[in-house]
Amino acid sequence: MINIEKFISTRKRLKISQMALCTDICTQATLSKFEKHQQVPAFDIMIALCERLGLTLNDVFPINVTARQTNNERVLTLATQALFYQNIGKFEHLIKQVEIDKMVDIERPTYQITQYFSAVILKQDCLKAKQIIKKIDIAGLNKSHKLLFYAITSHYYYQRGQFKEAHQAFEDVWRYQKESTTVDHSGFQAAIVYLLAQYQMSIKNYKYAMMLATYGIDLANASDSTYFLENFFWLLVQASDTWDSQNFIVNEMIENARVIAKIHKNEAILQKISQRKGEK
């Protein structure tokens, strides 16, 4: 049973309005639906809301969430969230807090995959990425981790000039991703689709990139999350430059990307938007 009453009473006791509580986390409508017992927000949103109120998930979901979460597990959850929001400063700060000597087997894949993502996608450091690959037990990864691993690897191959291997990795991931019917709240599915869309942009297949970006937006709506949502809008903006699109549509997509990037503290997208406005 969800203890929404405790959540509401804590917010009111602290004299925090709905608008103030959800700032930089989610929309007020999302919070309102939760407090009216209409819809539970995505996992990452609940973590952030509870932290702002000084609550734990166990306070709000006493049956579904155990109190056995290790410090590494908690840090990795927050680090993954920051990475998928591309709040790089927060991710780097959190990942340094992981106690590697105390890491258990179940935590290691998340640590390695996030490091791999950072090396290839954010830093484009193929040497570092190669070192990380050697440590990953690919066969032992769960489906989400494995698909994300190969989605990242498509970019790794592309950066190394191994274009045939990059395309094969893309095709394999997209084939399995299309078969998935599960609504994912962890952000891994959004990350996978974003990397697939970005890969198509890299090879200048703009129509395919737009299709994948639109698919990513639909996934975000289905899971009520905002992981990579600004990236999907920005990909549509970039692709729109290759065909005759109406300015008001492009401007709306830019504004959507700007608002969400500001919430996530995604400086990379905000900088791109600023540069575009300067060029105009």
Side-chain angles (χ1 to χ4, degrees):
M1 182 177 180
I2 303 176
N3 196 345
I4 298 178
E5 287 69 26
K6 183 170 184 176
F7 181 93
I8 296 172
S9 64
T10 301
R11 178 178 66 78
K12 290 182 176 179
R13 176 172 55 81
L14 295 174
K15 297 181 180 179
I16 300 176
S17 67
Q18 284 189 343
M19 183 176 295
L21 178 59
C22 66
T23 299
D24 293 341
I25 296 177
C26 64
T27 64
Q28 188 173 352
T30 296
L31 177 56
S32 179
K33 287 179 182 178
F34 174 62
E35 292 195 350
K36 290 179 181 178
H37 298 255
Q38 294 176 349
Q39 184 173 312
V40 178
F43 186 67
D44 59 294
I45 292 176
M46 282 306 309
I47 289 176
L49 291 172
C50 286
E51 283 191 337
R52 187 164 285 179
L53 292 176
L55 297 171
T56 67
L57 283 181
N58 201 53
D59 292 323
V60 183
F61 303 94
I63 295 178
N64 297 321
V65 180
T66 71
R68 299 179 184 176
Q69 190 179 46
T70 67
N71 180 67
N72 275 346
E73 195 175 1
R74 180 186 65 82
V75 170
L76 284 169
T77 297
L78 295 174
T80 302
Q81 175 188 320
L83 180 65
F84 288 173
Y85 284 162
Q86 291 142 97
N87 185 338
I88 308 308
K90 186 175 182 180
F91 168 73
E92 295 288 357
H93 173 72
L94 286 165
I95 208 69
K96 289 177 182 176
Q97 296 180 29
V98 175
E99 300 173 287
I100 299 177
D101 58 328
K102 295 182 180 179
M103 190 180 298
V104 297
D105 289 344
I106 197 172
E107 297 163 350
R108 200 171 305 279
T110 300
Y111 178 76
Q112 293 171 333
I113 292 293
T114 53
Q115 292 283 63
Y116 186 39
F117 187 108
S118 176
V120 175
I121 307 303
L122 304 181
K123 300 176 181 177
Q124 297 188 13
D125 186 342
C126 288
L127 181 60
K128 176 69 173 178
K130 187 176 182 179
Q131 294 171 348
I132 295 171
I133 291 172
K134 292 178 179 178
K135 299 177 182 178
I136 299 177
D137 176 17
I138 301 172
L141 297 176
N142 65 33
K143 183 178 179 180
S144 293
H145 283 134
K146 190 173 291 185
L147 285 178
L148 182 54
F149 171 82
Y150 282 111
I152 299 168
T153 300
S154 66
H155 289 261
Y156 171 71
Y157 282 143
Y158 183 80
Q159 291 169 17
R160 288 169 55 92
Q162 297 174 256
F163 304 122
K164 181 178 179 180
E165 292 85 350
H167 186 69
Q168 187 60 57
F170 167 85
E171 291 290 345
D172 290 342
V173 174
W174 180 226
R175 183 173 67 254
Y176 285 107
Q177 174 58 40
K178 284 190 296 185
E179 297 172 357
S180 176
T181 58
T182 304
V183 176
D184 170 52
H185 297 286
S186 69
F188 277 83
Q189 194 174 39
I192 292 162
V193 176
Y194 162 64
L195 293 180
L196 295 179
Q198 186 59 59
Y199 171 77
Q200 290 299 318
M201 283 295 295
S202 298
I203 63 174
K204 296 182 171 54
N205 192 344
Y206 302 116
K207 185 175 181 180
Y208 208 163
M210 290 179 66
M211 182 275 289
L212 287 165
T214 302
Y215 176 67
I217 292 171
D218 290 340
L219 283 178
N221 290 333
S223 62
D224 191 31
S225 75
T226 56
Y227 287 121
F228 294 97
L229 192 52
E230 68 268 47
N231 300 82
F232 292 130
F233 281 120
W234 187 249
L235 282 169
L236 290 177
V237 171
Q238 290 179 297
S240 72
D241 290 336
T242 67
W243 52 279
D244 187 19
S245 56
Q246 296 182 330
N247 285 336
F248 80 91
I249 296 177
V250 176
N251 290 336
E252 183 176 350
M253 290 188 295
I254 291 173
E255 182 59 16
N256 287 340
R258 187 192 69 79
V259 169
I260 301 166
K262 189 174 180 180
I263 291 174
H264 291 172
K265 296 182 174 58
N266 185 339
E267 295 298 332
I269 292 293
L270 291 173
Q271 185 176 13
K272 290 176 182 178
I273 293 172
S274 179
Q275 288 174 346
R276 183 185 179 92
K277 289 182 178 179
E279 291 169 0
K280 296 295 183 181

